[in-house]
């Protein structure tokens, strides 16, 4: 005769229950939670030496509890609690904690200049393209002024074309009564318009980079076209020096920013065309991260250029002083970007 089976409760019950497991270890979890809360709210400086030594010990104890809980299939609520506590502890103990101010400081001092240094080849190429566009239109307009209207829109030129007299052209540079009579109260509107317009063109130049960089180079070439045509008109009237000062005060910043935006777009286009050993999408993604940092800086530069153009150029009419300010701005940007510094940046 087969003996009756023993009661299931006597053999199937776990060697320890959730309540017993919790009772044996919960004190460590609570202590760990309190230390993490203190660390989050007041920082590491608020912890005593004993608490700092205790922190990794409690972290390992929590991980051990989590491991046992998973292996013995304890209740899900307890597992979720231990997982959340472990993840929180990991990021607070081993993660990089940096305040917003420190992240901003790091970006301005290191990340931004490092990103711009990394696209120096593209910057040189785009600068040469702008220069080529300017030389092309300058030579054509100088030989035949009728070419001017193929490069500069009638409305945009505002009367500054080959038909204008030298006196009128000089007045548009801030040296005559025509400009002196303009309302200075509208300068901030003018500066806002310039900033918006230049930002739009730069972002477009950057955004079109994904199309193998071709639209970007065409857009930058077109910018040079307009510039060279305008220089030819003023130089033809003997106002090349004055026009240079009018352009220089803000142009060194603005054209530099334009070259950088084109370089950012070209970096993406180059990554798409020549991804190397990487997948094309991965190469474009990595290039996009660098280009994004460059573009943040470009917007800041365009903001500075907008202020110089909207206020500085209108209020400062002394040509040597315009050259001096433009030169100082150029030296500032070159020094800021390219002077060697610690390599803990990028």
């Amino acid at each position: 005769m087969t003996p009756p089976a023993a009661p299931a409760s006597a053999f199937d019950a776990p060697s320890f229950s959730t309540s017993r497991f919790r009772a044996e270890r919960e004190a460590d979890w609570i202590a760990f939670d309190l230390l993490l809360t203190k660390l989050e709210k007041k920082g590491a400086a608020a912890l005593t030496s004993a608490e700092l030594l205790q922190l990794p010990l409690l972290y390992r104890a929590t991980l051990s509890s989590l491991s046992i809980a998973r292996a013995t299939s304890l209740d899900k609520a307890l597992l979720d609690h231990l997982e959340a506590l472990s993840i929180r502890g990991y990021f607070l103990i081993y993660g990089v904690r940096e305040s917003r101010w420190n992240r901003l400081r790091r970006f301005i001092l290191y990340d931004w200049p490092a990103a711009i240094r990394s696209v120096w080849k593209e910057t040189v190429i785009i600068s040469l393209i702008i220069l080529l566009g300017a030389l092309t239109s300058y030579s054509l307009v100088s030989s035949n002024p009728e070419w001017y209207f193929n490069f500069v829109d009638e409305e945009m030129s505002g009367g500054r074309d080959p038909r204008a007299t030298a006196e009128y052209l000089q007045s548009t540079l801030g040296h005559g009564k025509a400009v002196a009579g303009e309302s200075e109260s509208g300068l901030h509107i003018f500066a806002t318009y310039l900033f918006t317009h230049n930002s739009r063109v730069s972002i477009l130049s950057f955004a079109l980079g994904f199309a193998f960089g071709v639209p970007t180079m065409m857009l930058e070439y077109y910018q040079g076209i307009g510039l060279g045509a305008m220089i030819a008109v003023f130089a033809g009237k003997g106002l090349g020096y004055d026009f240079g000062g009018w352009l220089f005060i803000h142009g060194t910043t603005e054209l530099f920013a334009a070259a950088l935006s084109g370089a950012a777009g070209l970096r993406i286009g180059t990554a798409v065309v020549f991804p190397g050993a990487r997948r094309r999408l991965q190469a474009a993604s990595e290039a996009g991260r660098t280009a994004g940092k460059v573009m943040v800086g470009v917007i800041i530069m365009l903001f500075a250029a907008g202020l110089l153009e909207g206020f500085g150029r209108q209020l400062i009419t002394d040509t040597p002083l315009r050259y001096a300010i433009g030169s100082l701005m150029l030296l500032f940007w070159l020094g800021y970007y390219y002077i060697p510094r610690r390599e803990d940046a990028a």
Side-chain angles (χ1 to χ4, degrees):
M1 182 177 178
T2 304
S9 57
F11 297 96
D12 297 339
S15 58
F16 58 90
S17 62
T18 298
S19 58
R20 180 183 170 189
F21 178 78
R22 180 187 289 274
E24 290 175 348
R25 295 168 174 80
E26 191 169 25
D28 287 345
W29 308 339
I30 293 174
F32 189 45
D33 190 15
L34 290 174
L35 285 181
L36 293 181
T37 302
K38 191 174 181 181
L39 186 61
E40 287 171 335
K41 291 182 176 178
K42 300 180 181 179
L47 300 180
T48 64
S49 299
E51 288 173 333
L52 287 173
L53 292 174
Q54 194 180 15
L55 201 57
L57 299 177
L58 292 174
Y59 173 65
R60 286 195 288 273
T62 303
L63 286 181
S64 175
S65 298
L66 176 61
S67 176
I68 295 172
R70 282 174 173 167
T72 54
S73 303
L74 292 178
D75 67 82
K76 187 174 184 305
L78 180 61
L79 276 173
D80 291 343
H81 173 69
L82 291 175
E83 286 178 351
L85 193 60
S86 299
I87 293 172
R88 186 170 155 226
Y90 174 81
F91 282 108
L92 284 172
I93 296 173
Y94 300 108
V96 177
R97 296 186 301 279
E98 198 172 22
S99 66
R100 291 179 181 176
W101 166 249
N102 284 336
R103 288 198 294 272
L104 177 62
R105 173 181 169 276
R106 170 168 289 278
F107 175 79
I108 293 175
L109 291 181
Y110 303 113
D111 293 357
W112 177 21
I116 287 177
R117 284 196 301 274
S118 71
V119 297
W120 71 269
K121 292 180 182 176
E122 291 86 349
T123 305
V124 171
I125 292 172
I126 293 295
S127 299
L128 291 176
I129 289 174
I130 295 175
L131 180 61
L132 178 62
L135 290 175
T136 301
S137 58
Y138 179 83
S139 60
L140 290 173
V141 174
S142 296
S143 60
N144 182 3
E146 291 298 319
W147 275 100
Y148 178 83
F149 299 101
N150 294 319
F151 300 138
V152 182
D153 182 73
E154 183 91 19
E155 183 179 355
M156 182 180 173
S157 67
R160 292 171 295 185
D161 56 51
R163 299 169 300 192
T165 63
E167 289 73 19
Y168 175 78
L169 291 177
Q170 190 171 36
S171 72
T172 64
L173 300 178
H175 296 163
K177 294 180 179 178
V179 169
E182 292 179 357
S183 172
E184 295 182 355
S185 61
L187 290 180
H188 65 287
I189 300 176
F190 184 48
T192 302
Y193 164 76
L194 293 172
F195 171 71
T196 305
H197 171 75
N198 294 333
S199 298
R200 187 181 299 122
V201 172
S202 295
I203 291 173
L204 184 62
S205 177
F206 160 71
L208 292 176
F210 76 93
F212 312 118
V214 175
T216 296
M217 290 187 283
M218 293 176 63
L219 190 59
E220 297 294 341
Y221 181 78
Y222 180 75
Q223 284 199 345
I225 285 285
L227 178 63
M230 195 70 80
I231 292 174
V233 168
F234 281 85
K237 303 290 183 180
L239 298 172
Y241 174 72
D242 290 335
F243 180 76
W246 180 85
L247 179 67
F248 221 67
I249 188 171
H250 75 283
T252 52
T253 298
E254 183 176 317
L255 289 175
F256 201 168
L260 290 176
S261 66
L266 192 59
R267 166 59 66 93
I268 296 177
T270 305
V272 172
V273 177
F274 306 107
R278 302 165 296 178
R279 291 186 303 168
R280 205 175 297 278
L281 187 59
Q282 180 189 0
S285 175
E286 292 176 2
R289 283 195 287 273
T290 299
K293 292 178 184 177
V294 174
M295 284 306 297
V296 172
V298 166
I299 297 301
I300 294 174
M301 289 181 71
L302 289 176
F303 180 72
L307 293 178
L308 287 170
E309 190 170 7
F311 291 93
R313 192 177 69 183
Q314 310 304 319
L315 300 176
I316 300 172
T317 58
D318 184 69
T319 298
L321 185 55
R322 285 176 168 177
Y323 274 107
I325 293 174
S327 300
L328 286 175
M329 290 304 299
L330 179 60
L331 290 174
F332 169 76
W333 294 120
L334 290 175
Y336 173 60
Y337 293 141
Y338 299 110
I339 285 180
R341 62 196 71 189
R342 290 187 305 160
E343 291 300 328
D344 61 346

